[in-house]
Amino acid sequence: MKADQTQVLRLLKTARGQIDGVIRMVEEDRYCIDISNQIQASAAILNKVNQEILSAHIRCCVSEALHSGKQEADAKIEEILAVLQKAL
């Protein structure tokens, strides 16, 4: 992985903490909107982590493949397109 591992781990641990909080909120039968807001906050952090990882992948792995040759470049481009298709 070419992304900043320290930042990625920090964000993932934050998301894990938020999800643990959401579980507690559900167990405590908290207000639905409050639970939904916390779920959205967790999802936003996971989206940010995904953006970091994909950005690093494009900057490094895809860039290297573009300089290596057409076949390798085409494979990396297809890989990124598949990931984007899932995300969108």
Side-chain angles (χ1 to χ4, degrees):
M1 182 179 77
K2 303 295 182 180
D4 180 354
Q5 188 178 33
T6 302
Q7 182 178 4
V8 166
L9 286 172
R10 182 182 55 79
L11 289 168
L12 287 171
K13 289 175 182 179
T14 299
R16 178 177 58 193
Q18 284 187 318
I19 291 169
D20 287 342
V22 170
I23 291 169
R24 282 191 301 276
M25 291 173 81
V26 170
E27 290 171 344
E28 295 168 1
D29 197 27
R30 299 272 299 273
Y31 186 56
C32 301
I33 298 301
D34 293 340
I35 295 169
S36 179
N37 286 336
Q38 287 304 308
I39 291 170
Q40 289 178 46
S42 300
I45 290 174
L46 292 174
N47 283 332
K48 182 174 177 145
V49 171
N50 197 28
Q51 288 173 6
E52 288 291 321
I53 290 170
L54 290 176
S55 292
H57 179 69
I58 290 169
R59 286 189 182 98
C60 187
C61 301
V62 174
S63 179
E64 287 174 4
L66 289 172
H67 291 44
S68 295
K70 182 174 176 19
Q71 191 173 28
E72 197 172 328
D74 287 347
K76 291 292 181 189
I77 289 169
E78 289 302 317
E79 191 177 64
I80 281 292
L81 289 174
V83 169
L84 291 175
Q85 198 169 38
K86 286 180 197 175
L88 301 174

